[in-house]
């Protein structure tokens, strides 16, 4: 009898984006003339810049010639890309060696898979609201009990990040072995300060805990002085794994390329309490379950770090951040309390008039024909909030903001 992993039965239905899709389809069917603007899902819209596409094509051309053909590459990634990534870290004031970098096909997989190298009874903390992958993968692995009516799982520690604490994750009040932090944050758009990261690194050291630091949006940080990498903090190499992705940074959501850093100093503990380097464990896991990102994609990824690639990628990020500014300023002028959008491509607004997140979703769709993401979909502390994404074409963003200001002013 093929028995299933019953932990999957604890999972709450993958409710958020299917439900958004269902409501938008129903509205569009009833209102065929409505021009719906989607600022919901965080996917890029601008094409890959020329220096990156040229590198991609050149990589493909190499595969077409006998002299330069390549089959399996190193599972961890080609040296040319690992060195480019380590060089980029150095420029940001963080020490990362090429052989501490593991190239992958996405931060979703990396943040999902990392829990495999930790004990089944590890105690996990996540922020609330949260990127759902961190939670669901620990549910699948059996680290939680059932979910309650608010969607919170027994056995997980939730760290509320709300306007009241400036969206800065508070340290856990009870024992925790692993904590997922995301900065710049999806969905709140908040960025952790240097002081906050210093506090977290000290906490992790004192508690022999590991920080799983998701920096998928680091390239969107604008304000000087804010940390792009947790490794800018002294001591972080002993307590943190960092995830980065080219998805939003360089338009690779469809192309797929990301990376994870596991420093050599970072240790976990075995059943006898002896230290075990996590680098070797992750290397074992990665090389057993993954066979590397394709060569042309790695060539394209390396081009992201070239001078031309950087300039092109920067121009796209500038365009998205200009959208974020338009949303932030436009909605503030319309009376909304608005967070994020300064160093992240997400604007997190307080739902006006005491509505729930889903009630506001329906109102926004019905009256302004604009689609966003209800905050409650990211956790119970997201109730009463709403996420708008800056990933769109400027003209659509302008129109969406003008419609919201005209039809749904928050005064
Ligand atoms: C916080 C966060 N981490 C990771 C990812 C995954 O990115 P990818 O798998 O495209 O690299 C996303 C994507 O939306 C995200 O928002």
């Amino acid at each position: 009898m093929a028995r299933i992993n019953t932990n999957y039965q604890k999972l709450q239905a993958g409710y958020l984006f299917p439900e958004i899709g269902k409501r938008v389809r129903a509205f569009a069917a009833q209102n065929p003339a409505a021009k719906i603007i989607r600022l919901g899902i965080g996917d890029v819209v601008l094409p890959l810049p020329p220096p990156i596409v040229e590198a991609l094509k050149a990589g493909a051309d190499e595969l077409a010639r006998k002299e330069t053909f390549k089959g399996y590459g190193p599972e961890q990634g080609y040296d040319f890309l690992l060195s480019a990534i380590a060089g980029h870290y150095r420029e940001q004031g963080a020490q990362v060696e090429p052989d501490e970098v593991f190239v992958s096909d996405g931060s979703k997989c990396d943040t999902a898979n990392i829990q495999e190298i930790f004990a089944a009874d590890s105690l996990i903390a996540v922020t609330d609201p949260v990127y759902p992958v961190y939670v669901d993968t620990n549910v699948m692995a059996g680290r939680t009990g059932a979910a309650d009516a608010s969607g919170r799982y027994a056995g997980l520690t939730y760290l509320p990040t709300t306007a009241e604490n400036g969206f800065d994750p508070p340290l856990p009040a009870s024992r925790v072995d692993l904590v997922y932090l995301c900065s710049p944050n999806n969905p709140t758009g908040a960025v952790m300060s240097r002081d906050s990261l210093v506090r977290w690194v000290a906490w992790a050291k004192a508690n022999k805990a590991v920080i799983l630091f998701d920096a998928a949006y680091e390239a969107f940080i604008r304000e000087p002085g804010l940390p792009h990498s947790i490794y800018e903090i002294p001591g972080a190499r002993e307590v943190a794994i960092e995830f980065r992705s080219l998805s939003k940074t360089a338009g690779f959501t469809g192309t797929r390329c990301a990376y994870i850093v596991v420093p050599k100093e970072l240790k976990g503990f075995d059943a006898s309490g002896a230290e075990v380097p996590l680098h070797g464990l992750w290397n074992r896991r990665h090389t057993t379950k993954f066979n590397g990102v394709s060569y042309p994609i790695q060539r394209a990824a390396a081009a992201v770090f070239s001078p031309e690639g950087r300039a092109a990628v920067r121009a796209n990020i500038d365009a998205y951040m200009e959208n974020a500014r338009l949303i932030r300023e436009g909605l503030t002028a319309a009376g909304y309390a608005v967070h994020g959008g300064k160093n992240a491509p997400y604007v997190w607004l307080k739902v006006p008039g005491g509505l729930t997140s889903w009630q506001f979703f329906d109102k926004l769709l019905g009256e302004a024909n604009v689609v966003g993401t209800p905050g409650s979909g990211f956790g119970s502390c997201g109730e009463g909030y709403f996420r708008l994404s800056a990933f769109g074409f400027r003209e659509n963003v302008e129109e969406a903001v003008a419609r919201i200001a005209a039809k749904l002013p928050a005064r």
Side-chain angles (χ1 to χ4, degrees), residues 106-108 131 134 182 186 214 216-217 245 247-248 256 258 346:
S107 283
K108 184 190 245 187
Y131 177 56
Y134 316 149
C182 176
N186 176 16
D214 187 345
Y217 297 97
S245 173
S247 281
K248 313 296 163 74
R256 312 302 304 149
Y346 297 116

Side-chain angles (χ1 to χ4, degrees), residues 196-248:
S196 178
L197 286 182
V198 165
R199 211 164 33 245
W200 273 100
V201 167
W203 168 86
K205 264 195 184 159
N207 290 278
K208 298 187 171 175
V210 170
I211 299 170
L212 304 169
F213 191 73
D214 187 345
Y217 297 97
E218 65 80 22
F220 292 82
I221 294 175
R222 294 285 130 136
E223 285 170 67
L226 286 171
H228 287 242
S229 167
I230 194 163
Y231 303 125
E232 291 175 52
I233 309 302
R237 286 175 53 84
E238 290 153 47
V239 294
I241 289 173
E242 182 162 296
F243 306 87
R244 286 191 175 187
S245 173
L246 298 184
S247 281
K248 313 296 163 74

Side-chain angles (χ1 to χ4, degrees), residues 8 32 34 37 45 92 107 113 125 129 141 154 163 190 193 283 299 332 348 353 371 406:
Y8 278 64
I37 301 178
V45 296
Q92 292 185 329
S107 283
N113 293 331
S193 67
N283 190 51
R299 277 286 173 208
T332 304
W348 188 240
V371 181

Side-chain angles (χ1 to χ4, degrees), residues 109-327:
C109 323
D110 288 337
T111 55
N113 293 331
I114 195 67
Q115 46 78 27
E116 283 187 27
I117 64 168
F118 295 98
D121 59 355
S122 300
L123 295 175
I124 311 291
V126 294
T127 59
D128 181 1
V130 66
Y131 177 56
V133 173
Y134 316 149
V135 173
D136 288 359
T137 52
N138 279 291
V139 175
M140 291 170 177
R143 291 198 183 87
T144 73
D148 66 16
S150 73
R152 283 187 167 192
Y153 291 93
L156 281 191
T157 298
Y158 289 88
L159 310 170
T161 50
T162 58
E164 288 68 42
N165 60 21
F167 302 98
D168 186 27
L171 298 175
S174 56
R175 199 196 115 203
V176 162
D177 304 309
L178 298 173
V179 62
Y180 292 81
L181 298 175
C182 176
S183 176
N185 193 266
N186 176 16
T188 69
V191 186
M192 293 176 75
S193 67
R194 197 165 290 271
D195 284 352
S196 178
L197 286 182
V198 165
R199 211 164 33 245
W200 273 100
V201 167
W203 168 86
K205 264 195 184 159
N207 290 278
K208 298 187 171 175
V210 170
I211 299 170
L212 304 169
F213 191 73
D214 187 345
Y217 297 97
E218 65 80 22
F220 292 82
I221 294 175
R222 294 285 130 136
E223 285 170 67
L226 286 171
H228 287 242
S229 167
I230 194 163
Y231 303 125
E232 291 175 52
I233 309 302
R237 286 175 53 84
E238 290 153 47
V239 294
I241 289 173
E242 182 162 296
F243 306 87
R244 286 191 175 187
S245 173
L246 298 184
S247 281
K248 313 296 163 74
T249 307
F252 275 54
T253 51
T255 317
R256 312 302 304 149
C257 195
Y259 48 97
I260 170 171
V261 176
V262 187
K264 299 271 179 59
E265 290 95 315
L266 180 60
K267 311 269 180 19
F269 300 88
D270 71 12
S272 70
E275 288 188 337
V276 179
L278 294 180
H279 183 275
L281 250 55
W282 182 252
N283 190 51
R284 188 72 173 87
R285 192 258 166 224
H286 188 78
T287 54
T288 300
K289 296 198 177 183
F290 189 63
N291 245 341
V293 170
S294 84
Y295 178 74
I297 299 297
Q298 291 196 55
R299 277 286 173 208
V304 170
F305 301 97
S306 70
E308 311 75 47
R310 273 171 213 238
V313 159
R314 166 97 345 213
N316 284 0
I317 292 177
D318 285 348
Y320 293 131
M321 290 310 289
E322 179 60 9
N323 289 344
R325 186 188 67 78
L326 292 170
I327 297 172

